[in-house]
């Protein structure tokens, strides 16, 4: 099937985690072309450049659905920052109101445009598969690792400074046998104060540090709450310098309910992909 170019897109940023968003509700781009299109348009320098591609589609379970791809063309079950950008897109195009539901592989998530349209909050899927007591050797030092699935797999390592080699260490964690076969994202977390973290994330499927990772920030906040005796809300300073806020109810043991991720989601520019975008 030949794609019908030009294809309109919007470039959005969720605290520096950036996405190309296309309204694909008419099925303009067939499923079999999605991974290739994601790899092409997410390539920085050669194309638009982004951490992921979001193709909106209709849903019979929610106001809107999507097909979400990492920059390497892999499918991810959920994306905290991407879902916030998708909600902003859907609202600005009259596809949904300020409160909406988005169907993801990780489940239907509730979104809300809030703070005078300056922020978007998403109610995260119930975190699961907490694993404590793991450890990984990084530059010959054993680091304790805690793992949780916050929609996608997330490993959390507390560090005492923020100049750790995120790409080198992150890659080792991401591909570690502990997390085979799906692998994991890797978060390096500095406790700056009670309720304030600095989080640097190596993202699976981007295979590099991103300027922010929503599901990673949620994992860092929940594990900090459990292991560093912190209460909701927890602010996360992301690699790009922007802040995410995580709100939650911590239950007994490693269970958290009503987990919300909140932060800005900005439209950076609109554009049109030409046929050459796939060459
Ligand atoms: N790269 C992630 C998906 C995107 C998560 C991140 N961008 C977020 O904001 O949650 C993975 O494959 O697990």
């Amino acid at each position: 099937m030949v794609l019908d170019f030009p294809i309109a897109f919007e470039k959005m940023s969720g605290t520096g985690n950036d996405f190309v968003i296309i309204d694909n509700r008419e099925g303009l781009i067939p499923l079999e072309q999605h991974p290739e299109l994601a790899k092409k348009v997410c390539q920085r320098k050669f194309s638009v450049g982004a951490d992921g591609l979001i193709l909106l589609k209709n849903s019979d379970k929610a106001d809107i659905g999507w097909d979400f791809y990492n920059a390497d063309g892999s499918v991810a079950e959920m994306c905290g920052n991407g879902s916030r950008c998708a909600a902003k897109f859907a609202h600005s195009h009259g596809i949904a109101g300020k409160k909406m539901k988005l169907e993801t592989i990780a489940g239907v998530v509730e979104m809300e445009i809030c703070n005078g349209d300056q922020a978007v909050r998403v109610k995260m899927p119930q975190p699961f598969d907490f694993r404590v007591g793991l450890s990984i050797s990084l530059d010959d030092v054993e680091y304790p690792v805690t793992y949780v699935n916050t929609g996608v797999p997330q490993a959390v390592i507390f560090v005492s400074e923020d100049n750790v080699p995120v790409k080198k260490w992150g890659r080792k964690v991401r591909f570690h046998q502990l997390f085979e076969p799906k692998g994991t994202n890797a978060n390096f977390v500095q406790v700056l104060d009670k309720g304030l973290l600095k989080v640097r994330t190596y993202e699976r499927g981007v295979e590099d540090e991103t300027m922010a990772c929503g599901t990673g920030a949620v994992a860092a906040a929940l594990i900090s709450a459990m292991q560093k005796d912190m209460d909701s809300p927890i602010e996360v300073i992301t690699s790009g310098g922007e802040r995410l806020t995580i709100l939650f109810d911590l239950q007994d043991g490693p269970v958290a309910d009503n987990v919300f991720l909140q932060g800005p989601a900005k439209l950076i520019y609109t554009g049109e992909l030409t046929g050459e975008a796939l060459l």
Side-chain angles (χ1 to χ4, degrees):
M1 176 179 176
V2 176
L3 290 181
D4 182 13
F5 289 99
I7 298 173
F9 73 88
E10 292 191 0
K11 181 70 185 303
M12 295 193 71
S13 170
T15 55
N17 208 185
D18 59 344
F19 306 95
V20 170
I21 304 188
I22 294 170
D23 180 355
N24 197 40
R25 287 177 297 160
E26 304 302 320
L28 190 70
I29 305 164
L31 190 60
E32 60 270 15
Q33 301 235 11
H34 291 183
E36 190 56 31
L37 182 66
K39 283 187 279 190
K40 289 285 186 189
V41 300
C42 290
Q43 245 196 320
R44 301 189 192 278
K45 309 284 187 194
F46 291 90
S47 186
V48 178
D51 293 331
L53 170 67
I54 295 172
L55 300 172
L56 293 183
K57 65 182 182 183
N58 292 316
S59 165
D60 55 13
K61 296 179 189 159
D63 300 292
I64 191 81
W66 73 1
D67 290 305
F68 179 91
Y69 300 89
N70 286 307
D72 68 355
S74 60
V75 172
E77 304 85 341
M78 172 56 187
C79 177
N81 290 322
S83 64
R84 298 187 306 99
C85 290
K88 186 85 177 280
F89 180 106
H91 179 247
S92 67
H93 287 259
I95 300 169
K98 289 198 174 185
K99 290 187 177 182
M100 69 186 82
K101 291 184 178 179
L102 167 70
E103 181 187 358
T104 75
I105 296 171
V108 173
V109 292
E110 296 168 27
M111 322 287 308
E112 181 179 0
I113 315 283
C114 54
N115 284 16
D117 293 4
Q118 296 309 303
V120 185
R121 66 164 47 182
V122 50
K123 185 176 184 182
M124 301 299 285
Q126 180 81 36
F128 68 99
D129 194 7
F130 275 93
R131 300 181 205 171
V132 296
L134 310 175
S135 84
I136 293 179
S137 174
L138 299 167
D139 286 357
D140 300 324
V141 175
E142 280 298 318
Y143 281 82
V145 180
T146 306
Y147 171 96
V148 60
N149 190 303
T150 54
V152 290
Q154 295 287 355
V156 170
I157 296 171
F158 288 102
V159 294
S160 51
E161 68 286 319
D162 65 4
N163 61 348
V164 298
V166 169
K167 187 157 185 177
K168 177 185 171 191
W169 288 8
R171 190 164 175 76
K172 181 167 183 181
V173 175
R174 179 260 185 274
F175 287 104
H176 199 281
Q177 64 184 13
L178 284 172
F179 309 116
E180 286 175 343
K182 290 193 167 186
T184 183
N185 300 278
N187 300 275
F188 300 94
V189 182
Q190 212 184 336
V191 176
L192 299 179
D193 201 344
K194 217 141 185 61
L196 183 63
L197 307 174
K198 170 90 186 284
V199 178
R200 297 182 66 189
T201 306
Y202 176 99
E203 272 202 47
R204 178 185 70 164
V206 179
E207 304 310 334
D208 203 343
E209 178 177 7
T210 55
M211 292 297 99
C213 177
T215 46
V218 169
L222 295 180
I223 290 165
S224 296
M226 289 166 203
Q227 297 181 359
K228 309 288 182 186
D229 189 27
M230 290 189 194
D231 296 323
S232 173
I234 292 181
E235 290 269 312
V236 167
I237 300 174
T238 61
S239 296
E242 293 194 37
R243 290 192 180 203
L244 289 167
T245 304
I246 292 89
L247 305 101
F248 52 89
D249 294 337
L250 203 55
Q251 309 304 329
D252 294 339
V255 177
D257 292 327
N258 304 317
V259 181
F260 290 88
L261 170 70
Q262 181 172 318
K266 299 173 192 164
L267 170 59
I268 306 303
Y269 60 86
T270 61
E272 287 185 339
L273 291 175
T274 69
E276 293 181 11
L278 273 184
L279 295 182

